[in-house]
Amino acid sequence: MLAQSDPALRILAIANQKGGVGKTTTAINLGTALAAVGERVLLIDADPQGNASTGLGVPRHQRKTTLYDVLMGDAPAGEAAVKTSLPGLDLIPADPDLSGVELELGQAARRSYRLRDALEVLRRAGNYTYVLIDCPPSLNLLTVNAMTAADAVFVPLQCEFFALEGLTQLMRTIELVRGSLNPKLEIQGVVLTMFDKRNSLSEQVASDVRAHFGDKVYETVIPRNVRVSEAPSFGKPVLIYDLKCAGSQAYLKLAREVVSRERARQAQVAA
């Protein structure tokens, strides 16, 4: 059994307070790609819209136990996790009830720590090597719970004009959480999404982000790809929908880069 502080489990909050940046798409496909390269992954859908759940082929009528039940203390995280059709990838689904969590918890004790407390059992059990939390595109109690539970924040960033403005807001949120709830929270990495090499703006945004964040920015970029956009409507990650397309290959490359970076980090911690 793993010790509570064992670094083998890595919890990443996939977050960006700006909508439409490819956050849920990245959560679904990075989770799938990590599972494909041999990791044991739990994806937590923390957005009341439930798009990550739908994109993994789990329809609403099959979501018997959800993240809402976990946060309200009605079910343990392990009981809420369901197997997807993809070996090595489990899901804690979401439903619209999640939108009421903030009001229902009110001033409840440790309301910002609900998810962290729930995941401690999984951290000790050693069933997963990665937990990915798909955050809603706003600063609310769900986002705060995700960042309080996480070891680090993984940031998808769209290559467009207002990208850096949204990133500034996210950095403020991370600093607030680090200052009051989770002092160990760090940025795990930034991945550039919807990259169009024919567009000079994409190149400019990529250059600006790399100048600001340095090696925190992944070498892998996720291209604009119609197959990536089509896949969720079939309830499939793009790697299952069309393995050979540019988007699938980019997510596989990203997964390998994530694992490589994490192994280097663990080696540095152990040294």
Side-chain angles (χ1 to χ4, degrees):
M1 183 171 287
L2 296 174
Q4 184 169 327
S5 60
D6 197 302
L9 175 63
R10 187 71 161 161
I11 301 175
L12 303 177
I14 299 181
N16 193 321
Q17 286 165 237
K18 187 177 185 303
V21 300
K23 177 182 55 61
T24 296
T25 299
T26 295
I28 292 169
N29 291 299
L30 176 59
T32 302
L34 285 169
V37 299
E39 301 297 329
R40 303 184 308 279
V41 185
L42 173 65
L43 175 58
I44 298 176
D45 190 349
D47 189 337
Q49 296 179 83
N51 290 337
S53 303
T54 302
L56 282 173
V58 181
R60 293 193 185 276
H61 69 271
Q62 288 184 11
R63 302 174 201 175
K64 306 298 183 186
T65 307
T66 70
L67 183 61
Y68 171 83
D69 301 296
V70 174
L71 294 177
M72 298 306 294
D74 296 329
E79 183 181 303
V82 297
K83 301 222 172 273
T84 70
S85 59
L86 311 162
L89 178 61
D90 293 351
L91 169 74
I92 295 181
D95 65 9
D97 286 347
L98 262 182
S99 59
V101 162
E102 194 142 11
L103 286 174
E104 291 187 55
L105 287 179
Q107 299 301 313
R110 296 183 63 80
R111 70 182 201 140
S112 298
Y113 295 88
R114 289 296 181 104
L115 185 55
R116 185 164 91 177
D117 292 346
L119 293 182
E120 281 306 319
V121 175
L122 299 184
R123 195 184 282 278
R124 292 193 297 268
N127 295 328
Y128 301 105
T129 51
Y130 286 92
V131 172
L132 307 180
I133 308 171
D134 182 31
C135 298
S138 59
L139 175 57
N140 57 22
L141 186 60
L142 294 169
T143 302
V144 170
N145 261 269
M147 289 190 182
T148 303
D151 299 308
V153 180
F154 185 96
V155 186
L157 188 70
Q158 183 182 3
C159 292
E160 56 105 71
F161 183 70
F162 292 111
L164 293 176
E165 183 178 298
L167 193 56
T168 301
Q169 295 171 346
L170 179 64
M171 293 304 298
R172 288 197 197 102
T173 300
I174 292 171
E175 287 300 325
L176 285 170
V177 173
R178 185 186 289 147
S180 58
L181 297 167
N182 184 1
K184 294 182 180 179
L185 187 67
E186 60 182 357
I187 291 184
Q188 196 272 352
V190 178
V191 62
L192 297 165
T193 64
M194 305 181 194
F195 185 87
D196 186 349
K197 61 185 178 182
R198 300 167 300 178
N199 187 336
S200 60
L201 180 59
S202 283
E203 294 284 2
Q204 184 61 53
V205 170
S207 177
D208 290 347
V209 173
R210 292 188 190 281
H212 187 75
F213 284 98
D215 60 6
K216 286 287 185 186
V217 185
Y218 282 100
E219 289 298 320
T220 305
V221 297
I222 308 301
R224 279 195 180 276
N225 182 250
V226 68
R227 307 299 271 177
V228 173
S229 302
E230 289 173 352
S233 65
F234 293 88
K236 295 179 180 179
V238 70
L239 280 85
I240 304 301
Y241 181 62
D242 185 350
L243 177 60
K244 295 183 179 180
C245 75
S248 291
Q249 293 304 305
Y251 276 113
L252 281 169
K253 185 179 177 184
L254 176 63
R256 294 188 187 102
E257 198 175 346
V258 168
V259 171
S260 175
R261 182 175 291 193
E262 283 302 315
R263 285 177 180 165
R265 182 195 62 80
Q266 289 183 14
Q268 189 174 18
V269 169

